[in-house]
Amino acid sequence: MRRLPDAIKRRIVEHLACYRTRAEVVGLIAEEFDVHLTPRHVRAYDPTSFQFAGSTRWKEYYRLARKRFESELASEPIAHRAYRLRKLD
């Protein structure tokens, strides 16, 4: 597979930080960028995976994206509203 641009890597890390599964991320990246990946490719950018192959830059970005996502959830007065809205989508 060819080298992924930083924009695609960034979106992969953002989706993973928002508690999306690897299979969901594969579908979202295919829709958004028309790039077909496998869950194994996505796992390489998952800092929680033992097969993480990214740099410390992506670990830091993952941490910031997760923090931002959780703060958005905490700001909603209804529990798990973002999760339920995503499931309805």
Side-chain angles (χ1 to χ4, degrees):
M1 168 151 214
R2 69 179 200 270
R3 208 175 217 344
L4 293 175
D6 280 349
I8 295 175
K9 293 176 186 178
R10 186 177 305 113
R11 290 299 291 168
I12 290 171
V13 173
E14 285 175 359
H15 288 308
L16 290 170
C18 293
Y19 298 103
R20 297 200 188 257
T21 64
R22 293 180 188 116
E24 289 175 331
V25 173
V26 167
L28 291 168
I29 295 298
E31 288 176 12
E32 189 173 343
F33 294 101
D34 197 32
V35 174
H36 301 287
L37 304 172
T38 64
R40 177 174 252 162
H41 290 119
V42 173
R43 189 180 330 155
Y45 293 98
D46 185 359
T48 62
S49 171
F50 68 94
Q51 292 182 339
F52 176 69
S55 65
T56 55
R57 171 179 75 161
W58 296 120
K59 283 184 180 181
E60 181 65 22
Y61 189 72
Y62 177 88
R63 187 184 66 74
L64 291 172
R66 173 70 56 97
K67 187 176 178 182
R68 185 178 65 232
F69 179 73
E70 288 176 347
S71 69
E72 288 174 4
L73 281 180
S75 69
E76 293 295 324
I78 302 172
H80 306 291
R81 182 176 184 180
Y83 175 78
R84 289 196 320 255
L85 289 174
R86 190 178 314 138
K87 287 297 180 184
L88 287 174
D89 193 21

